[in-house]
Amino acid sequence: MENFRLRVFRAVADEMSFRKAAEVLHLSQPAVSQHIHALEEEAGVQLFDRARGEGHGSQISLTEAGRVLLGYANTAAETMVEARRALAALNHEVVGELRLGASTTVAQYVLPRILGAFLRQYPQVKLSLVSGNTERIVESVAEKKVALGIIEGPAMRRDVKTERMVKDEMVLIVSPNHTLALRKGAVITPAELAKLPLLLRERGSGSRRVVERALKKVGIPLRSLGAAMELDSTEAIISGVEAELGVGFVSRWAVAKVLRLGTVRVIAVEGLEIVRDFSFVRLAGSELRGAAAAFQRFAMVSAGAK
């Protein structure tokens, strides 16, 4: 519904490159240049300064007129999105763009099944998903890069609001060849845990924050543990445990398959229970609409039916 020349203009302004804009729009570079030239002719102003940089490569920047038009073009695009949502709502349809963010464990182990079912029910939704640790996803929500996030730890910011999606449990896993895996009952004391080489998620990870808080409650500060390695994903921790590099805490959602395969074992720690929420996070003071609101409702039901 958006004027196509304005769409091309916004793409060039976003990428600051005719070539990259052409790739995003699936057009030829000459076609992009023609649209911009036609828009400049129609508006009677120059929208981009074009210069030759080192290596004879083209460098562009917005002119003052280009900056003014970009503000109006962005507003027009947002208005057309709202118009499409309003028209779709008349027919009880869910359409439009859905920008989601999800922390690593959620993106890898929880969302695939839910997203597949959601897109089958709402095929007109155009989905994009970014993943990262909890800190990064919360930041993306606060900066309006995504409409809705799903995180696995506390948000740690006041400009966002969280709402529980589903409960999760963090469990300690060891290699099946580990002496602890052969112990009857497979239970260890906090003191025994403190002597084990522990594989940890990186700083900024929601999983790491949850583990740190739970250990502190049972009198095991992180500095007293034998932290063997910091890793940037749950998958890396599972692989490290399988390779007998140490032990690690991971989500039960993440270990269902490897437990069936027998490549890791779950060990209980006396007095330690690590329960957390996977939570939706959105900008405080705002209400979800359109595809984002539909996805949150859908995901709540789907996750609860696990």
Side-chain angles (χ1 to χ4, degrees):
M1 295 178 67
E2 180 186 4
N3 177 285
F4 190 70
R5 284 181 184 169
L6 287 179
R7 184 181 171 195
V8 173
F9 167 65
R10 291 194 305 110
V12 176
D14 286 344
E15 301 294 338
M16 278 302 158
S17 165
F18 285 83
R19 178 183 60 79
K20 291 180 180 178
E23 292 174 356
V24 169
L25 296 168
H26 304 291
L27 296 173
S28 67
Q29 187 170 332
V32 169
S33 297
Q34 288 171 10
H35 279 294
I36 296 300
H37 180 71
L39 185 59
E40 289 178 325
E41 287 287 322
E42 183 179 349
V45 294
Q46 184 177 338
L47 300 173
F48 293 98
D49 281 325
R50 301 160 177 84
R52 303 292 287 181
E54 292 183 8
H56 305 292
S58 295
Q59 295 179 332
I60 64 172
S61 60
L62 283 167
T63 62
E64 181 63 26
R67 286 190 288 272
V68 170
L69 181 60
L70 181 60
Y72 284 104
N74 286 334
T75 299
E78 291 168 3
T79 301
M80 287 301 98
V81 169
E82 290 299 321
R84 190 176 181 189
R85 287 174 180 165
L87 293 172
L90 295 176
N91 294 323
H92 305 288
E93 296 177 353
V94 177
V95 301
E97 183 181 13
L98 174 57
R99 293 175 297 153
L100 289 178
S103 55
T104 312
T105 300
V106 176
Q108 189 166 1
Y109 300 104
V110 182
L111 276 188
R113 175 179 58 85
I114 295 174
L115 288 177
F118 178 78
L119 292 176
R120 284 192 294 273
Q121 184 164 331
Y122 302 108
Q124 296 186 70
V125 172
K126 182 180 179 182
L127 173 71
S128 62
L129 173 67
V130 297
S131 65
N133 63 33
T134 290
E135 190 175 87
R136 181 189 169 196
I137 298 307
V138 171
E139 184 177 288
S140 295
V141 170
E143 294 177 355
K144 300 182 181 179
K145 293 179 180 177
V146 299
L148 179 67
I150 307 173
I151 57 176
E152 56 196 76
M156 308 293 284
R157 290 180 67 137
R158 295 183 178 180
D159 53 352
V160 298
K161 181 179 180 180
T162 60
E163 182 179 352
R164 177 195 295 171
M165 174 182 168
V166 67
K167 278 197 171 295
D168 179 44
E169 181 186 10
M170 301 282 290
V171 294
L172 182 68
I173 58 171
V174 303
S175 162
N177 299 321
H178 199 289
T179 55
L180 293 176
L182 305 176
R183 180 184 297 187
K184 186 176 181 179
V187 179
I188 63 173
T189 66
E192 288 176 305
L193 173 63
K195 297 176 183 178
L196 297 175
L198 187 63
L199 307 181
L200 289 167
R201 283 291 303 276
E202 79 286 2
R203 297 183 186 279
S205 160
S207 294
R208 177 170 175 145
R209 289 197 190 109
V210 170
V211 169
E212 286 179 345
R213 290 181 179 184
L215 292 176
K216 188 175 181 180
K217 284 183 179 179
V218 295
I220 311 176
L222 196 62
R223 63 178 180 276
S224 70
L225 292 172
M229 198 179 303
E230 289 189 359
L231 301 166
D232 64 356
S233 70
T234 296
E235 190 66 32
I237 289 180
I238 294 173
S239 296
V241 170
E242 290 174 328
E244 302 183 29
L245 299 177
V247 304
F249 286 97
V250 295
S251 164
R252 272 204 182 273
W253 286 79
V255 293
K257 182 178 179 180
V258 288
L259 284 176
R260 289 195 299 271
L261 294 173
T263 59
V264 302
R265 297 281 177 83
V266 171
I267 300 293
V269 181
E270 286 181 3
L272 181 66
E273 183 181 32
I274 308 180
V275 178
R276 62 176 177 176
D277 292 331
F278 289 148
S279 302
F280 296 108
V281 56
R282 60 178 171 83
L283 201 62
S286 67
E287 293 297 327
L288 293 176
R289 291 178 290 179
F295 176 77
Q296 182 172 3
R297 292 191 298 269
F298 187 92
M300 288 279 283
V301 173
S302 298
K306 171 182 174 285

